[in-house]
Structure formats: structure tokens, C-alpha cells
Amino acid sequence: MTDFAGALRAQRLLAIVRGTDPAAAARTVLTLAGEGVGLVEVSMTTPGALDVIARARSELGTETSVGAGTVITAEDADRAADAGADFVVTPAIVPGLRRAAERGLPLLAGALTPTEIVAAAQAGAAAVKLFPASLGGPRYLRALLDPFPSTALVPVGGVDAGAARDYLAAGAVAVGVGSPLIGDAASGGSLDDLRARARRFLAAVRDAPRPG
């Protein structure tokens, strides 16, 4: 992926898959892709996450990008790259950032404060995962864009469909959504319910205003 920030701006939604059942997690990724979700992160805390990523990459075309989330260590980054991950997401400024950059993987680095946002950019992050976004909400994100107007911010944590619209209107390039979108699908829950939630979120991000 040559322009990860551009892909985030175009898609406006990053689905975060975290569950307890590897087979269900794989079905969840494939179902999201089938509904048109173009960016999917598989958390490394999901059992068999690397196999899920590898399977998704072998079965999906280029219209869907599948990355590894909750990457912390350099070993995590190496394993994600070897599994075929298209990008890496971290929860904070961690050792895995440098290794992912060395492996040529686009980075979405977790940060909360202005100092951490600067550190993420210096580590080579294409975009910054504002986490946990629920601590400050859209007003905090908007305030951060005053000193960092060119930073691609992706709020994650407590983002439902209504909040997704608010964050995007405040200037986020995309929103990262876990349980409000995935529900229990990655642990064996209903895929029909997942499809309905995916359609609702896709409509919400499509209809959200873009800052002028």
C-alpha cells in the first residue's frame, strides 16, 4: 500500500476485528470485505490472528486491505509482515513501530497527547490513532488539528455510528471501530447482524460531512 493515509481518507472506516475464535474471526473479515469495508485490522490479541490475516490476504483481492493491530514488539511487527499484513496498527508509541517501518509496512500509531503525536510522526507513522478517543471526544480532536493541521487523525475507542459522523465532521480522516461494528461476530456471533451493522456504519461515514 503506497498511500495509507490516502486510503484512510477515501474509506473513512477502519474495522477492528478482535475475538476469541480464529475461524469466526476469519469469517468476520471476509464478511466485512463482502459488504464493502475496504480497511480491516485484525488484532494480534485474537487467537490465530496471523493465520486469519494470511487467509484473508489469500482469499481477498486488492480492494480490501488487511492489517495487524495491537502490534507492540519488534517480533510482533516481523510476524505481521511475514503473514502478509498490509499495514500495522499500534496502541501506543512502542518498539514495533520502528521494525514495521524497517519492513516497509504503513503505520497507524497510537497516541493521545500532542507530545505522543509528534513522536508518532517522527517514528514514521502515516496516520495517528487517537486512542482512547472517548476521553476527549470530537472537540479534543478538533483542538489537536489546530497545531497539527496536516496530521491524519483516526479516533478509536467508543466510536458508534453517531460518534463516527461527529468525528469525521470535526476533521478525522477516518474512524476506527471495534465492538460497535463487530459485536460478537469474531467469537461466533451472527454474520447477518454483522452485515446489518456494517451497512449502517458505511452509510454513516459516507454521509458524514467533510470539513471545508
Side-chain angles (χ1 to χ4, degrees):
M1 186 186 302
T2 57
D3 184 9
F4 185 42
L8 288 164
R9 287 188 177 91
Q11 296 289 333
R12 309 190 89 190
L13 175 65
L14 169 66
I16 303 168
V17 175
R18 179 182 290 109
T20 59
D21 182 336
R27 289 194 296 270
T28 296
V29 174
L30 297 177
T31 298
L32 290 166
E35 290 300 321
V37 178
L39 294 170
V40 182
E41 165 194 338
V42 180
S43 172
M44 296 280 276
T45 60
T46 299
L50 296 170
D51 291 334
V52 173
I53 293 169
R55 175 183 169 185
R57 283 278 32 95
S58 70
E59 296 190 24
L60 296 173
T62 57
E63 292 184 358
T64 304
S65 296
V66 181
T70 324
V71 169
I72 296 175
T73 67
E75 181 184 16
D76 288 341
D78 282 333
R79 292 162 63 209
D82 292 343
D86 294 311
F87 58 90
V88 158
V89 183
T90 74
I93 308 301
V94 293
L97 284 174
R98 177 177 295 180
R99 183 60 58 83
E102 292 171 350
R103 296 293 299 263
L105 287 171
L107 300 170
L108 176 59
L112 181 62
T113 67
T115 299
E116 291 169 349
I117 289 172
V118 171
Q122 292 175 340
V128 174
K129 167 183 167 179
L130 187 62
F131 176 79
S134 56
L135 287 181
R139 291 179 61 188
Y140 180 60
L141 182 143
R142 188 180 294 110
L144 287 171
L145 288 173
D146 286 339
F148 304 115
S150 62
T151 299
L153 294 179
V154 181
V156 177
V159 180
D160 59 17
R165 287 188 290 267
D166 293 340
Y167 280 116
L168 291 167
V173 298
V175 291
V177 186
S179 57
L181 168 58
I182 305 305
D184 61 354
S187 299
S190 168
L191 294 180
D192 285 339
D193 290 347
L194 173 65
R195 292 185 183 96
R197 290 190 297 269
R199 292 166 191 165
R200 184 166 64 250
F201 270 94
L202 286 168
V205 301
R206 182 187 64 239
D207 297 338
R210 293 181 182 269

